[in-house]
Amino acid sequence: TGRFAPAGWWGAGRPADATDAIDAARTVAAALGVGVEARAAEELPWHPGRCAALVVTGSGAETIVGFAGELHPRVCELAELPARTIAFELDLDALLAAVPGPVGARPISPYPVVKEDVALIVDAQVPAAEVAAALETGGGELLESVRLFDVYTGEQIGAGRKSLAFNLRIRAADRTLKAEESAAVRKAAVAEAARRFGAELRGA
């Protein structure tokens, strides 16, 4: 509850909303190597129209592993929670059953990491976790991690849109990367986000 992004010189900040609850649930599932899709749903104790079923697909079947979104106003009142509180729940048994196999830790490279920041403008309804997944796919093996560190909405980017800022960590296991190699990874990652969601580089 409260502000997801604080106010400051960069803008007015913004309150947490249903998409943040969905992204949080996706983060948990991703740690197990499970991809989760969000589907519109109506389920108590969530607000109608601001609730998503969290679905795992595979082998032609779909399994609901949880729900996420904004809690119903009456629920917030009865539980003495702030208005527009968000929440998610996951059925861990169902989620663990969907794990494709052992999830191994990535080897630690002794070579230096290259850090790149990108700010992408997308439709406000696009989950940040899906944009992060697109960056990871586009970046390939050299893209070590993707971390969301800022979400901005405001007049500078237009109504119905948001800016998502990500930190990219790029590293090879067997060598120090050249500048053109890390730049190519960044470019490929952004290109995949643009292909999937029409993402635009902020300030480009």
Side-chain angles (χ1 to χ4, degrees), residues 86-135:
I86 63 170
F88 73 89
E89 67 173 12
L90 289 170
D91 180 338
L92 293 182
D93 288 335
L95 189 61
L96 289 170
V99 174
V103 180
R106 295 183 64 166
I108 298 174
S109 172
Y111 295 93
V113 66
V114 177
K115 298 179 181 179
E116 295 272 5
D117 291 343
V118 294
L120 302 176
I121 299 174
V122 297
D123 186 274
Q125 300 304 312
V126 175
E130 291 193 5
V131 180
L135 291 170

Side-chain angles (χ1 to χ4, degrees), residues 26 29-38 54-58 63 65 95 98-100 133:
R26 288 177 184 272
L32 296 173
V34 177
V36 171
E37 297 180 11
L54 306 171
V55 179
V56 173
T57 60
T63 303
V65 296
L95 189 61
V99 174

Side-chain angles (χ1 to χ4, degrees), residues 5-104:
W9 61 263
W10 52 83
R14 71 172 182 86
D17 61 27
T19 61
D20 298 313
I22 295 170
D23 288 343
R26 288 177 184 272
T27 299
V28 175
L32 296 173
V34 177
V36 171
E37 297 180 11
R39 308 279 177 84
E42 291 193 11
E43 182 79 9
L44 291 175
W46 286 273
H47 192 303
R50 299 174 188 169
C51 173
L54 306 171
V55 179
V56 173
T57 60
S59 303
E62 296 186 350
T63 303
I64 295 178
V65 296
F67 295 89
E70 181 182 314
L71 294 177
H72 194 283
R74 183 62 175 152
V75 172
C76 291
E77 180 183 349
L78 290 172
E80 299 183 349
L81 295 170
R84 308 202 68 171
T85 293
I86 63 170
F88 73 89
E89 67 173 12
L90 289 170
D91 180 338
L92 293 182
D93 288 335
L95 189 61
L96 289 170
V99 174
V103 180

Side-chain angles (χ1 to χ4, degrees), residues 157-180:
I157 57 175
R161 304 208 296 172
K162 63 184 176 183
S163 171
L164 303 174
F166 296 93
N167 173 255
L168 312 181
R169 290 173 60 91
I170 304 167
R171 177 157 41 190
D174 58 352
R175 67 190 187 283
T176 298
L177 291 174
K178 297 179 180 178
E180 55 267 26

